[in-house]
Amino acid sequence: MRQEFMEVLEKARGSHRLERHELIVLLQARGEEVDALGRAADGVRAASLGDEVHLRGIIEFSNYCRRNCLYCGLRRDNRKLRRYRLTPGEILAAARKAAGLGLPTIVLQSGEDPHYTAPVLADIIRRLKEEVGVGAVTLSVGERSFEDYRLWREAGADRYLLKHETADAALFARLRPGTTLQERLLRLKWLRELGYQVGSGNIVGLPGQSLETLAADILLMRELDVEMAGIGPFIPHPQTPLAKEPPGELELTLKVLAIARLLLPRAHLPATTALGTIHPAGRRLGLCFGANVIMPDTTPPPYRYYYQIYPGKAGMDDEMEATLVALKNMIHSLNRRVGRGPGHAPKIQGGMNNEV
């Protein structure tokens, strides 16, 4: 292994701080260096968060979207996608089933769909907490107003996931027409001010991305001091302008995930569904490179197929019960255990997660 790589890796493991040029040294890891990076990240995860893997049930309740992002199959101009919206009753029913199977956190995710007004979503959040007994509610519904975010927080929402996608402002504007990175970051600031546990994250392998961009992504997530970072590979969708672009690489995605763990020792990092889509063992590998969260899809089967940010999503046809059995078996095979309780961020709890 390169001497420079070993020195930077040791610095990252000890201080959890790196300069951009040092991040690039780690991003250039090859062969046995990649394995060493994964081992270091896994060690930091174990020391900082323990062996729990937290399961979050994700309900993708609408695939309508007002945005026209070049990389996303939900984009407004995709006329071939069958659109759907779940009713509040359907959302609550899906959450009850997930909670009954032992998933203490529900993630409500959709395209940017203004059909669901702030009061409507606030009522759903309250009912999830009061009627279903959900331990924690995460929202991921895109860019909304400060007042919308405030209303949802007051209704009981605990977390908000708003991925920055890329820290390159020019690339962001090109891939997300009509939006700016500055506006995205402003909303992440609002969410922090309102007391949410804040999640962000990036896409690895976007056309026009460089190692310098990826280093900036990691530094931005550290600057934001996120409680969660969603890191997954770019997967081209056939009904988007990027249909013929190559997908993000498994190895590069794992390296970004591992480096994020080194710099964000106490953040929750999911082994994403996208990782499991580009490689059969993607989620398992993610858990070995610093991840400690998995978000199984608990969207009702009639709708699950149509939430196509990217095609070929892993586990699309699997029954929820079978999916959870497989995930738990995988977790136990790694000598890890399924976390109980809502799995709030350690700094919110005031210490290490202690669900057993």
Side-chain angles (χ1 to χ4, degrees):
M1 289 188 283
R2 294 169 294 159
Q3 181 66 28
E4 182 183 27
F5 171 84
M6 292 188 290
E7 291 174 357
V8 172
L9 183 61
E10 189 57 34
K11 178 182 176 182
R13 184 160 36 197
S15 70
H16 310 302
R17 291 180 179 274
L18 292 177
E19 302 296 327
R20 186 177 301 199
H21 71 276
E22 294 172 319
L23 289 171
I24 292 172
V25 170
L26 298 186
L27 287 168
Q28 292 172 330
R30 291 290 183 269
E32 61 180 346
E33 292 178 345
V34 178
D35 296 333
L37 184 58
R39 288 193 299 272
D42 194 51
V44 168
R45 182 273 310 158
S48 302
L49 297 168
D51 289 329
E52 295 84 14
V53 177
H54 297 284
L55 299 178
R56 329 280 207 200
I58 186 166
I59 301 172
E60 297 158 337
F61 63 92
S62 170
N63 69 351
Y64 281 85
C65 192
R66 61 178 176 164
R67 301 298 186 190
N68 216 19
C69 303
L70 272 60
Y71 52 81
C72 182
L74 304 189
R75 66 194 311 263
R76 185 181 66 239
D77 285 356
N78 182 1
R79 308 299 181 190
K80 294 188 177 182
L81 179 64
R82 178 178 171 182
R83 304 285 178 170
Y84 72 86
R85 291 183 175 115
L86 298 189
T87 66
E90 288 174 313
I91 295 171
L92 291 167
R96 284 191 187 93
K97 181 174 182 180
L101 291 171
L103 297 176
T105 293
I106 294 298
V107 182
L108 295 181
Q109 180 170 296
S110 71
E112 289 201 14
D113 185 1
H115 170 81
Y116 295 88
T117 65
V120 166
L121 280 178
D123 184 62
I124 292 170
I125 294 163
R126 275 191 292 268
R127 294 177 68 184
L128 285 171
K129 287 292 190 74
E130 296 171 5
E131 297 178 18
V132 181
V134 171
V137 174
T138 301
L139 295 178
S140 180
V141 298
E143 295 185 9
R144 299 285 287 255
S145 71
F146 182 90
E147 286 305 310
D148 286 0
Y149 293 149
R150 181 186 59 78
L151 185 63
W152 299 333
R153 179 74 181 121
E154 291 174 352
D158 302 277
R159 308 168 185 146
Y160 202 101
L161 176 61
L162 186 67
K163 293 174 67 174
H164 72 270
E165 312 291 28
T166 175
D168 181 328
L171 182 59
F172 185 101
R174 184 162 72 249
L175 295 178
R176 297 177 50 84
T179 69
T180 67
L181 179 61
Q182 183 179 8
E183 284 292 321
R184 198 75 159 184
L185 296 180
L186 175 62
R187 281 164 175 79
L188 285 165
K189 179 183 176 183
W190 289 348
L191 294 166
R192 176 68 69 210
E193 290 173 356
L194 288 165
Y196 283 92
Q197 296 172 53
V198 177
S200 191
N202 66 322
I203 303 173
V204 179
L206 287 169
Q209 190 179 69
S210 65
L211 293 186
E212 288 77 9
T213 308
L214 290 171
D217 286 328
I218 298 167
L219 289 173
L220 176 58
M221 289 186 283
R222 195 182 193 287
E223 178 186 343
L224 292 169
D225 193 23
V226 294
E227 279 81 31
M228 181 177 126
I231 298 165
F234 165 67
I235 302 176
H237 192 288
Q239 303 303 324
T240 68
L242 303 183
K244 296 183 179 180
E245 297 289 343
E249 299 173 358
L250 173 68
E251 184 176 279
L252 182 57
T253 305
L254 292 172
K255 288 190 288 185
V256 175
L257 177 64
I259 297 167
R261 169 56 69 209
L262 293 173
L263 269 65
L264 299 166
R266 291 160 66 82
H268 288 309
L269 303 184
T272 63
T273 303
L275 261 178
T277 300
I278 65 170
H279 191 282
R283 278 176 159 171
R284 182 184 181 90
L285 289 167
L287 291 177
C288 294
F289 274 70
N292 71 316
V293 170
I294 294 179
M295 298 194 289
D297 191 349
T298 56
T299 308
Y303 305 106
R304 191 181 302 169
Y305 178 80
Y306 302 108
Y307 199 85
Q308 287 196 20
I309 293 176
Y310 51 83
K313 186 163 59 174
M316 194 178 299
D317 299 319
D318 297 341
E319 292 294 330
M320 194 190 311
E321 294 85 350
T323 296
L324 289 175
V325 168
L327 289 176
K328 289 176 181 179
N329 287 340
M330 178 184 68
I331 290 166
H332 294 148
S333 75
L334 294 170
N335 295 318
R336 309 269 288 273
R337 63 183 186 274
V338 177
R340 295 179 182 173
H344 290 306
K347 67 181 182 181
I348 302 298
Q349 299 187 80
M352 182 185 290
N353 275 317
N354 57 8
E355 293 88 3
V356 293

